[in-house]
Structures are given as C-alpha cells and as structure tokens.
Amino acid sequence: MKLLLAEDDAMLADALTTQLGGAGFEVEHAPNGAVADYLLSKQSFDIAVLDIGLPMMDGLSVLKHVRQTQPALPVLLLSARDALDDRVAGLQAGADDYVTKPFDFPELVARLQALLRRSQPANSSALLGRLSLDPTSRRALVAGEPLELSGREWTLLELLVNQRDKVVTKEQITQTWSAEGGETGGGNSIEVYIHRLRRKLEDAGLVIRTVRGLGYLMETEA
C-alpha cells in the first residue's frame, strides 16, 4: 500500500517512515504542505497521513484541495491540537480519521488499516491461485471450499496475499498482529503459523517460501 506522509517534524517523519515501512507501507514523505499537494496531484496513493500544522500550506488546505480531485482517498489527520473544535473542523474538511499527538504507533497502524478496509468496495475480493479472500467477511475459500482459520491465521494470510511476490518480514507480521490486538509472539510463533498455513494451502496452487534472513514470500506454483 502506497502512503503519503506529510509531516514537517523531521525526527517524527523519519521514525514514522521506518515504522510504516516495517508495517508494509511504501511511504512517500512530504516535508511541507506545498510538496504534499504536488505529490497528491502527480502520484497515485492508497492512503494519506497529513499533519495539520504544515508550513507553506497547512494540512486542512491540502485536504480540501485533494477532496476536489480524489474524493475517495482515505485521509488521516495528525495534530497536536486535541480540542473538540479542531477535531470537528478536520472531519468537516473531509478527513476520514483524526489522531492527536502523542500517539501509540500500533494504534496509528490499526486506524490506517481500518480506513483501507472501509475504502474497499463491499464486494471486493482477492484471488490468487485457487484461493479467494473476502476481506469484508474475513472468509477464505480454496477451490470454493471454506478454510477454517483462526483470527491470527487470517491476518497473516491476508498480509501475505496483499504483499504477494514481495518479501514479508517477521517485523511486518508482528506489527500487523500487534495492530489487530493481543500478544504478538516471537519468531517461533510466526514459524508455527506459517507451517499451519502451508498445510491449509496445499490445494490452493500457492507456495509460501522462506527467504532466509528476510522473511516469507507468497507465490503461485509454477
């Protein structure tokens, strides 16, 4: 998922870029509102995070502008302002969510993932090999037959499918599990769940490859 991060605090922007990258996002950083406005007009993004207090062009102005051209783009506002009037102004300007600083990173990721889920068409599904995923109902089918999956198995499978043909790191997996709530477990826990998914996907025409030292890769069988 490609994400625009508009944040003028360099230290916070660097930290968020690293953390969001670890959570599976491809991050493009804009240090001010003018750059954010330009990038949004020239590139395609799946979601945007805008700080309200941006220099050159504030976040609300960027938001109002992007709503004229991309009304469906999910946008989350960041701000140190936590007054009710500020939150209402942000939402009325077209924001889909509003997070005040300071915030916990797992909560930010969870909110971004919720916005992305809501932005998908209700009947959208992912097809890979003989596997079909329905994000709305959180159901998986192999050749039309339902798979019995735990909540953590579903989250892991959805991540691998969404990042298919790309390496998914253990850090991305633990970040995603953390955002869904509950204990993340360690490396051995991840290996256990990968093993379970491999068994359940034997008839799906898919392979979960281990990329030593990096993570896991979902591919269709040759």
Side-chain angles (χ1 to χ4, degrees), residues 122-176:
N123 62 350
S124 67
S125 61
L127 298 173
L128 191 62
R130 290 183 289 277
L131 172 70
S132 172
L133 292 186
D134 184 347
T136 304
S137 64
R138 292 172 69 91
R139 295 180 68 238
L141 304 174
V142 171
E145 294 297 321
L147 282 184
E148 293 294 330
L149 298 171
S150 68
R152 185 169 289 189
E153 288 171 342
W154 163 265
T155 301
L156 176 56
L157 178 59
E158 185 181 36
L159 176 63
L160 290 167
V161 169
N162 288 340
Q163 298 293 316
R164 56 190 173 274
D165 298 322
K166 298 179 183 178
V167 174
V168 175
T169 66
K170 289 186 176 182
E171 181 182 7
Q172 285 177 259
I173 295 170
T174 55
Q175 289 274 13
T176 303

Side-chain angles (χ1 to χ4, degrees), residues 8-209:
D8 62 312
D9 183 321
M11 290 184 63
L12 177 58
D14 286 346
L16 285 178
T17 297
T18 299
Q19 291 175 312
L20 288 167
F25 292 94
E26 178 186 347
V27 181
E28 184 84 18
H29 174 231
N32 58 61
V35 172
D37 188 56
Y38 175 80
L39 290 174
L40 285 165
S41 68
K42 297 297 183 181
Q43 297 185 31
S44 176
F45 292 93
D46 297 297
I47 194 165
V49 177
L50 306 177
D51 182 64
I52 287 182
L54 293 170
M56 300 182 66
M57 185 177 183
D58 65 70
L60 289 183
S61 297
V62 175
L63 174 60
K64 291 175 182 177
H65 194 184
V66 78
R67 279 293 172 251
Q68 296 174 8
T69 56
Q70 301 183 65
L73 179 70
V75 177
L76 182 145
L77 289 181
L78 294 178
S79 178
R81 310 170 190 170
D82 61 357
L84 176 60
D85 288 347
D86 292 319
R87 296 198 299 273
V88 170
L91 295 172
Q92 288 181 337
D96 297 286
D97 204 351
Y98 188 108
V99 173
T100 57
K101 302 175 182 177
F103 53 83
D104 292 323
F105 180 71
E107 179 187 0
L108 177 65
V109 172
R111 287 176 178 268
L112 291 173
Q113 291 174 336
L115 291 181
L116 287 167
R117 285 195 297 270
R118 291 204 296 269
S119 71
Q120 295 175 338
N123 62 350
S124 67
S125 61
L127 298 173
L128 191 62
R130 290 183 289 277
L131 172 70
S132 172
L133 292 186
D134 184 347
T136 304
S137 64
R138 292 172 69 91
R139 295 180 68 238
L141 304 174
V142 171
E145 294 297 321
L147 282 184
E148 293 294 330
L149 298 171
S150 68
R152 185 169 289 189
E153 288 171 342
W154 163 265
T155 301
L156 176 56
L157 178 59
E158 185 181 36
L159 176 63
L160 290 167
V161 169
N162 288 340
Q163 298 293 316
R164 56 190 173 274
D165 298 322
K166 298 179 183 178
V167 174
V168 175
T169 66
K170 289 186 176 182
E171 181 182 7
Q172 285 177 259
I173 295 170
T174 55
Q175 289 274 13
T176 303
W177 279 346
S178 177
E180 291 281 326
E183 297 295 325
T184 59
N188 291 338
S189 176
I190 292 174
E191 291 168 4
V192 169
Y193 281 94
I194 290 290
H195 177 70
R196 291 179 184 174
L197 283 183
R198 282 174 173 152
R199 286 193 292 105
K200 293 183 178 184
L201 296 174
E202 286 178 350
D203 299 323
L206 301 173
V207 176
I208 302 175
R209 300 191 186 280

